[in-house]
Amino acid sequence: MNLAAWPSPGGLFAPLSPLIEGIPFAPEPASLELLSARCDLRSAGGQRLSFVAPQGDGVDYETRIWVRGEVETRPGNWHDFFNALVWLSFPLSKSTLNACHVEAMAVPDARCGRGRDRDALTHFDECGVVVVSSDHSLLALLRGFQWKTLFWERRLDLGRTLRCFVFGHATYEQLLQPFRGLTAKAVLHEVSEDWLRAPLCEQLADVDRRLASEVAAGRHRDPRAFHPLPLLGLPGVTEANESPSYYDDAWQFRAGRTRRRV
């Protein structure tokens, strides 16, 4: 399947669009080779990044990236293919996540269990989304689980003043066939109106810098602190949400306890 021809629900594939438009096929290895040849990215360990088939030599996934710059990528696998695209789209953040994993693994007995910090980082790596808005009230509604107000009553404002940058590669895979209850783990940022008018490439670079800086500073280490974002509530993700009654689904649009701000 050619990903460039796949409909982008609610524009959620936008962060990958500069890459998707430049590849003729996916998720085959030749696409990654084509993309990799255009990039000169480095792992946090200083090695030139490359995407390789699983090696089966016993080297840990995160250690391999740090020491060799090799990201194991199963041929023909959408999950791994999206992981590679996220590496190319958010290289600072992915490198910082890798460095944090390697640092945590160096602690004595750390390999016996991943621990809360690595769990949180992995959750965001798989299912994270960065939500930015120039309207503080929209972010407040998201924090307060006011889903119908956010997604229906403020629908026009969402299109004008809020953007979602999907980071999690598992979420990208799931968006190929969106399903009821599909939820991402969000971190929120308030931005200016000028920021929202900037070219996509500048927005992506800024999101990448912000996220990498936060992770390096020790943030996003509590799995409970992320804000759930039911993606099928966003306009355009599913035709079903074009009716206000769609948001009466209490199983999908759940009330939640107050969470720490992220």
Side-chain angles (χ1 to χ4, degrees):
M1 174 172 42
N2 184 345
L3 185 59
W6 193 272
S8 177
L12 290 175
F13 282 115
L16 306 185
S17 60
L19 299 174
I20 292 171
E21 293 168 359
I23 54 178
F25 33 70
E28 298 308 317
S31 292
L32 289 178
E33 292 170 6
L34 182 63
L35 290 171
S36 299
R38 300 176 183 176
C39 301
D40 185 20
L41 301 180
R42 301 277 168 175
S43 71
Q47 304 302 312
R48 191 180 190 283
L49 203 69
S50 63
F51 303 98
V52 301
Q55 302 297 291
D57 55 8
V59 178
D60 176 86
Y61 174 83
E62 299 290 351
T63 301
R64 180 183 301 280
I65 296 172
W66 175 268
V67 174
R68 302 181 185 176
E70 296 175 345
V71 182
E72 288 190 318
T73 305
R74 291 167 291 184
N77 183 282
W78 281 107
H79 186 89
D80 288 7
F81 180 75
F82 281 122
N83 181 52
L85 293 189
V86 174
W87 263 101
L88 295 168
S89 301
F90 301 98
L92 298 177
S93 299
K94 292 289 278 189
S95 292
T96 303
L97 285 169
N98 172 242
C100 290
H101 279 295
V102 172
E103 180 181 7
M105 290 163 60
V107 176
D109 299 325
R111 291 178 184 270
C112 297
R114 198 161 57 185
R116 190 186 73 167
D117 282 8
R118 292 193 65 207
D119 274 345
L121 295 175
T122 299
H123 287 170
F124 190 79
D125 194 21
E126 295 276 347
C127 304
V129 60
V130 178
V131 179
V132 303
S133 179
S134 61
D135 188 333
H136 176 78
S137 67
L138 294 180
L139 298 178
L141 289 172
L142 196 159
R143 291 189 178 99
F145 301 85
Q146 302 299 307
W147 304 122
K148 192 168 188 177
T149 302
L150 176 67
F151 291 134
W152 185 256
E153 297 175 18
R154 302 290 304 277
R155 202 172 186 84
L156 295 179
D157 295 329
L158 286 178
R160 289 193 296 261
T161 65
L162 184 141
R163 302 287 184 273
C164 294
F165 294 86
V166 174
F167 184 86
H169 52 282
T171 296
Y172 277 119
E173 180 186 22
Q174 292 165 335
L175 283 168
L176 292 175
Q177 295 181 298
F179 54 86
R180 176 176 176 249
L182 176 55
T183 300
K185 301 177 185 297
V187 298
L188 315 180
H189 286 286
E190 189 169 353
V191 297
S192 68
E193 293 181 3
D194 286 342
W195 193 100
L196 293 176
R197 289 191 288 267
L200 177 60
C201 61
E202 294 181 14
Q203 294 177 351
L204 289 173
D206 188 62
V207 168
D208 191 25
R209 286 191 296 266
R210 289 177 187 234
L211 187 57
S213 177
E214 291 170 352
V215 172
R219 296 189 62 186
H220 312 317
R221 305 297 176 91
D222 182 354
R224 300 168 300 176
F226 296 116
H227 297 276
L229 179 65
L231 294 176
L232 268 65
L234 291 165
V237 177
T238 174
E239 293 181 359
N241 73 25
E242 295 177 5
S243 167
S245 62
Y246 182 77
Y247 298 100
D248 295 331
D249 179 0
W251 181 85
Q252 183 169 202
F253 302 105
R254 305 180 185 186
R257 64 180 182 273
T258 301
R259 292 169 180 254
R260 191 172 66 201
R261 294 182 61 172
V262 177

